[in-house]
Amino acid sequence: MEFVTTADGSKTLFNAEVGEHYHSKHGAQQESVHVFLNKGLKHFLERDAQKDASILEIGFGTGLNFLMTADYCLKEQIGLHYMGIEAYPLAKEVIEQTGYDAYVSREIWLEFVYKYPIALQEQVKFNRQMGWGIAHQKVMDFQTTDRYDVIYFDAFAEVHQPEMWTPETLAHVCSFLKPGGVFVTYAITGNLKRTMKALGFQIEKAPGAPGKREMLRATKL
């Protein structure tokens, strides 16, 4: 694992075994905010005039998407239930070196670092209005009776991790989404669009984060 500074000044990790960075080299923090927070959670909250939401993240990684989401929800007094899936969680010592404390409140950062190891074992209260957990398992082994409003699909790119983008994996993931729920990812390919349509989703192209022209957002019908 090697830290890399991206174009917006925020850090990401390069995973040599996979052959890919955890976030966009064009800007890790701005990609997280654009793709997942703005086009995912905020879209859902504004569309349905909601003040709480449940999120399932595929590929928890460095925790950047969670941090951006938790910080926004704290400021806006949004109730949040968040579950990440991560087969290969990073050590707490690596998480502490990301520098993401520069982008969130001190309260959020300290709570995140302290409770990260606990969240890998069980769901925890993040603060008065948030709950959080990380399922330390492969995505196809994940099971829950919970259903979610938004899915953050942040797996490595298909060229590096093709098993995460198969119709079988996507069907399994999307089975945890409520009717009307929102699926967002940084990617958009012909195969992905066809699969999501076949799974009963209404798909739309949205402007991508810097470095990508478009991204996919899909709504479960």
Side-chain angles (χ1 to χ4, degrees):
M1 294 288 186
E2 176 187 357
F3 278 107
V4 176
T5 300
T6 66
D8 67 357
S10 60
K11 292 181 183 178
T12 189
L13 277 172
F14 178 73
N15 187 320
E17 186 174 342
V18 176
E20 191 177 15
H21 297 83
Y22 275 71
H23 313 96
S24 171
K25 293 182 294 181
H26 298 279
Q29 188 265 348
Q30 63 186 7
E31 177 192 47
S32 177
V33 169
H34 176 84
V35 174
F36 300 106
L37 179 57
N38 290 346
K39 299 300 182 184
L41 176 61
K42 290 173 73 172
H43 167 78
F44 166 77
L45 293 172
E46 292 165 6
R47 185 197 69 186
D48 291 0
Q50 294 291 321
K51 291 297 288 182
D52 56 28
S54 54
I55 296 175
L56 177 65
E57 180 180 13
I58 312 303
F60 187 83
T62 63
L64 179 57
N65 296 332
F66 171 69
L67 284 166
M68 296 298 100
T69 299
D71 193 63
Y72 172 79
C73 288
L74 179 64
K75 292 174 181 174
E76 299 298 322
Q77 299 185 332
I78 303 296
L80 177 66
H81 171 59
Y82 198 106
M83 174 60 70
I85 303 175
E86 181 53 66
Y88 307 101
L90 297 169
K92 179 183 177 183
E93 293 74 21
V94 175
I95 293 288
E96 291 175 323
Q97 296 174 50
T98 58
Y100 297 155
D101 55 317
Y103 303 102
V104 297
S105 69
R106 180 171 175 79
E107 175 187 350
I108 289 290
W109 176 253
L110 292 178
E111 188 87 346
F112 172 67
V113 170
Y114 173 68
K115 290 187 174 173
Y116 174 73
I118 306 171
L120 286 165
Q121 304 298 324
E122 60 182 320
Q123 295 192 44
V124 297
K125 289 292 288 183
F126 194 70
N127 58 30
R128 293 187 305 276
Q129 65 203 51
M130 300 185 214
W132 170 43
I134 307 168
H136 179 189
Q137 58 189 152
K138 293 183 177 180
V139 66
M140 293 300 286
D141 295 329
F142 177 76
Q143 294 291 342
T144 181
T145 57
D146 292 339
R147 293 297 179 264
Y148 297 87
D149 299 307
V150 182
I151 288 178
Y152 290 177
F153 196 84
D154 200 15
F156 287 121
E158 186 174 7
V159 66
H160 297 293
Q161 206 173 31
E163 70 278 9
M164 293 296 293
W165 301 84
T166 65
E168 293 77 18
T169 299
L170 290 166
H172 178 68
V173 167
C174 292
S175 70
F176 304 114
L177 193 63
K178 296 175 184 177
V182 177
F183 172 104
V184 284
T185 186
Y186 61 87
I188 186 163
T189 65
N191 283 339
L192 179 59
K193 288 187 289 184
R194 285 188 289 273
T195 298
M196 297 305 289
K197 283 183 179 178
L199 290 173
F201 281 75
Q202 178 182 333
I203 65 169
E204 58 181 305
K205 298 176 183 178
K212 285 189 177 289
R213 188 164 58 91
E214 295 174 331
M215 56 165 280
L216 179 75
R217 180 166 64 206
T219 303
K220 189 172 187 178
L221 301 176

Coordinates of all heavy atoms in Angstrom, one line a residue, residues 147-178:
R147 N -33.1 -3.2 4.9 CA -33.2 -2.7 3.5 C -32.8 -1.2 3.5 O -33.1 -0.5 4.5 CB -34.6 -2.9 3.0 CG -35.0 -4.4 2.8 CD -34.1 -5.1 1.8 NE -34.4 -6.5 1.6 CZ -33.7 -7.5 2.2 NH1 -32.8 -7.2 3.1 NH2 -34.1 -8.7 2.0
Y148 N -32.1 -0.8 2.5 CA -31.4 0.5 2.5 C -32.1 1.5 1.4 O -32.6 1.0 0.4 CB -30.0 0.3 2.2 CG -29.3 -0.5 3.2 CD1 -29.3 -1.9 3.2 CD2 -28.7 0.1 4.4 CE1 -28.7 -2.7 4.2 CE2 -28.1 -0.7 5.4 CZ -28.1 -2.0 5.3 OH -27.5 -2.8 6.3
D149 N -31.9 2.7 1.7 CA -32.4 3.8 0.8 C -31.4 4.1 -0.3 O -31.8 4.4 -1.4 CB -32.6 5.1 1.6 CG -33.7 4.9 2.7 OD1 -34.8 4.5 2.4 OD2 -33.3 5.3 3.9
V150 N -30.1 4.0 0.0 CA -29.1 4.3 -1.0 C -28.0 3.3 -1.0 O -27.6 2.8 0.1 CB -28.5 5.7 -0.7 CG1 -27.5 6.1 -1.8 CG2 -29.6 6.8 -0.6
I151 N -27.5 2.9 -2.1 CA -26.3 2.1 -2.2 C -25.2 2.9 -2.8 O -25.3 3.4 -3.9 CB -26.6 0.8 -3.1 CG1 -27.5 -0.2 -2.3 CG2 -25.2 0.1 -3.4 CD1 -27.8 -1.4 -3.0
Y152 N -24.1 3.0 -2.1 CA -22.8 3.5 -2.7 C -22.0 2.3 -3.2 O -21.5 1.5 -2.4 CB -22.0 4.2 -1.6 CG -22.5 5.4 -1.0 CD1 -21.7 6.0 0.1 CD2 -23.6 6.1 -1.4 CE1 -22.1 7.2 0.7 CE2 -24.0 7.3 -0.8 CZ -23.3 7.8 0.2 OH -23.7 9.0 0.8
F153 N -21.9 2.2 -4.5 CA -21.2 1.1 -5.1 C -19.8 1.6 -5.5 O -19.6 2.2 -6.5 CB -21.9 0.5 -6.3 CG -21.4 -0.9 -6.7 CD1 -21.9 -2.0 -6.1 CD2 -20.5 -1.0 -7.7 CE1 -21.5 -3.3 -6.4 CE2 -20.0 -2.3 -8.1 CZ -20.5 -3.4 -7.4
D154 N -18.8 1.3 -4.6 CA -17.5 1.8 -4.8 C -16.4 0.7 -4.9 O -15.3 0.8 -4.3 CB -17.2 2.8 -3.7 CG -16.0 3.8 -4.0 OD1 -15.7 3.9 -5.2 OD2 -15.5 4.4 -3.1
A155 N -16.7 -0.3 -5.6 CA -15.7 -1.4 -5.9 C -14.7 -0.9 -6.8 O -14.8 0.1 -7.5 CB -16.4 -2.6 -6.5
F156 N -13.5 -1.6 -6.8 CA -12.5 -1.3 -7.8 C -13.1 -1.5 -9.2 O -14.1 -2.2 -9.4 CB -11.3 -2.2 -7.6 CG -10.5 -1.9 -6.4 CD1 -10.2 -2.8 -5.4 CD2 -9.9 -0.7 -6.3 CE1 -9.5 -2.6 -4.3 CE2 -9.1 -0.4 -5.2 CZ -8.9 -1.3 -4.2
A157 N -12.5 -0.9 -10.2 CA -12.9 -0.9 -11.6 C -13.1 -2.3 -12.1 O -12.3 -3.2 -11.7 CB -12.0 -0.1 -12.5
E158 N -14.0 -2.5 -13.1 CA -14.3 -3.8 -13.6 C -13.0 -4.5 -14.2 O -12.9 -5.7 -14.1 CB -15.4 -3.7 -14.6 CG -15.8 -5.1 -15.2 CD -17.0 -5.0 -16.1 OE1 -17.4 -3.8 -16.4 OE2 -17.6 -6.0 -16.5
V159 N -12.1 -3.7 -14.8 CA -10.9 -4.3 -15.4 C -10.0 -5.0 -14.3 O -9.3 -5.9 -14.6 CB -10.2 -3.3 -16.2 CG1 -9.6 -2.2 -15.3 CG2 -9.1 -3.9 -17.0
H160 N -10.1 -4.5 -13.1 CA -9.3 -5.0 -12.0 C -10.0 -5.9 -11.1 O -9.4 -6.8 -10.4 CB -8.7 -3.8 -11.2 CG -7.8 -2.9 -11.9 ND1 -6.6 -3.3 -12.4 CD2 -7.9 -1.6 -12.3 CE1 -6.0 -2.3 -13.0 NE2 -6.8 -1.3 -13.0
Q161 N -11.3 -5.8 -11.0 CA -12.1 -6.6 -10.1 C -13.4 -7.0 -10.8 O -14.5 -6.7 -10.3 CB -12.4 -5.8 -8.8 CG -12.7 -6.6 -7.6 CD -12.8 -5.8 -6.3 OE1 -13.2 -4.6 -6.4 NE2 -12.4 -6.4 -5.2
P162 N -13.4 -7.8 -11.9 CA -14.5 -8.1 -12.7 C -15.6 -8.8 -11.9 O -16.8 -8.7 -12.2 CB -14.0 -9.0 -13.8 CG -12.7 -9.5 -13.3 CD -12.2 -8.5 -12.4
E163 N -15.3 -9.6 -10.9 CA -16.3 -10.4 -10.1 C -17.3 -9.5 -9.4 O -18.4 -9.9 -9.0 CB -15.6 -11.3 -9.1 CG -14.9 -10.7 -7.9 CD -13.5 -10.2 -8.2 OE1 -13.1 -10.1 -9.4 OE2 -12.8 -9.8 -7.3
M164 N -16.9 -8.2 -9.1 CA -17.8 -7.3 -8.4 C -18.8 -6.7 -9.3 O -19.8 -6.1 -8.8 CB -17.0 -6.2 -7.8 CG -16.0 -6.6 -6.7 SD -17.0 -7.3 -5.3 CE -17.8 -5.9 -4.7
W165 N -18.7 -6.8 -10.6 CA -19.6 -6.2 -11.6 C -20.4 -7.2 -12.4 O -21.1 -6.8 -13.4 CB -18.8 -5.3 -12.5 CG -18.0 -4.3 -11.8 CD1 -16.7 -4.4 -11.2 CD2 -18.4 -2.9 -11.6 NE1 -16.3 -3.2 -10.7 CE2 -17.3 -2.3 -10.8 CE3 -19.5 -2.2 -11.9 CZ2 -17.4 -1.0 -10.4 CZ3 -19.5 -0.8 -11.5 CH2 -18.5 -0.2 -10.8
T166 N -20.5 -8.4 -12.0 CA -21.3 -9.4 -12.7 C -22.8 -9.2 -12.4 O -23.1 -8.6 -11.3 CB -20.9 -10.8 -12.3 OG1 -21.2 -11.0 -10.9 CG2 -19.4 -11.1 -12.5
P167 N -23.6 -9.7 -13.2 CA -25.1 -9.6 -12.9 C -25.4 -10.3 -11.6 O -26.3 -9.8 -10.9 CB -25.7 -10.4 -14.1 CG -24.7 -10.2 -15.3 CD -23.4 -10.2 -14.6
E168 N -24.7 -11.4 -11.3 CA -25.0 -12.1 -10.0 C -24.7 -11.2 -8.8 O -25.5 -11.1 -7.8 CB -24.2 -13.4 -10.0 CG -24.7 -14.4 -11.0 CD -24.1 -14.1 -12.4 OE1 -23.2 -13.3 -12.5 OE2 -24.7 -14.7 -13.3
T169 N -23.5 -10.6 -8.8 CA -23.1 -9.7 -7.7 C -24.0 -8.5 -7.6 O -24.5 -8.2 -6.5 CB -21.7 -9.3 -7.9 OG1 -20.8 -10.4 -7.9 CG2 -21.2 -8.4 -6.7
L170 N -24.3 -7.9 -8.7 CA -25.2 -6.7 -8.7 C -26.6 -7.1 -8.2 O -27.2 -6.3 -7.5 CB -25.2 -6.0 -10.0 CG -23.9 -5.3 -10.4 CD1 -23.9 -5.0 -11.9 CD2 -23.7 -4.1 -9.6
A171 N -27.1 -8.2 -8.6 CA -28.4 -8.6 -8.2 C -28.4 -8.9 -6.7 O -29.4 -8.5 -6.0 CB -28.8 -9.9 -8.9
H172 N -27.4 -9.5 -6.2 CA -27.3 -9.7 -4.7 C -27.3 -8.4 -4.0 O -28.0 -8.2 -3.0 CB -26.0 -10.5 -4.4 CG -25.8 -10.8 -3.0 ND1 -26.6 -11.6 -2.2 CD2 -24.9 -10.3 -2.1 CE1 -26.2 -11.7 -1.0 NE2 -25.1 -10.9 -0.9
V173 N -26.4 -7.5 -4.4 CA -26.3 -6.2 -3.8 C -27.6 -5.4 -3.8 O -28.1 -4.9 -2.8 CB -25.2 -5.3 -4.4 CG1 -25.3 -3.9 -4.0 CG2 -23.8 -5.9 -4.1
C174 N -28.2 -5.4 -5.0 CA -29.5 -4.6 -5.1 C -30.7 -5.2 -4.4 O -31.7 -4.5 -4.3 CB -29.7 -4.4 -6.6 SG -28.5 -3.3 -7.4
S175 N -30.6 -6.5 -4.0 CA -31.7 -7.1 -3.3 C -31.9 -6.4 -1.9 O -32.9 -6.6 -1.3 CB -31.4 -8.6 -3.1 OG -30.4 -8.8 -2.2
F176 N -30.8 -5.7 -1.4 CA -30.9 -5.0 -0.1 C -31.4 -3.6 -0.3 O -31.5 -2.9 0.7 CB -29.5 -5.0 0.5 CG -29.0 -6.4 0.7 CD1 -27.8 -6.8 0.0 CD2 -29.6 -7.3 1.5 CE1 -27.3 -8.0 0.2 CE2 -29.1 -8.6 1.7 CZ -27.9 -9.0 1.0
L177 N -31.8 -3.2 -1.5 CA -32.3 -1.8 -1.7 C -33.8 -1.8 -1.6 O -34.5 -2.6 -2.2 CB -31.8 -1.3 -3.0 CG -31.9 0.2 -3.3 CD1 -31.0 1.0 -2.4 CD2 -31.4 0.4 -4.8
K178 N -34.3 -0.8 -1.0 CA -35.8 -0.6 -0.9 C -36.3 -0.2 -2.3 O -35.6 0.4 -3.1 CB -36.1 0.5 0.1 CG -35.8 0.3 1.5 CD -36.1 1.5 2.4 CE -35.6 1.3 3.8 NZ -35.9 2.5 4.6

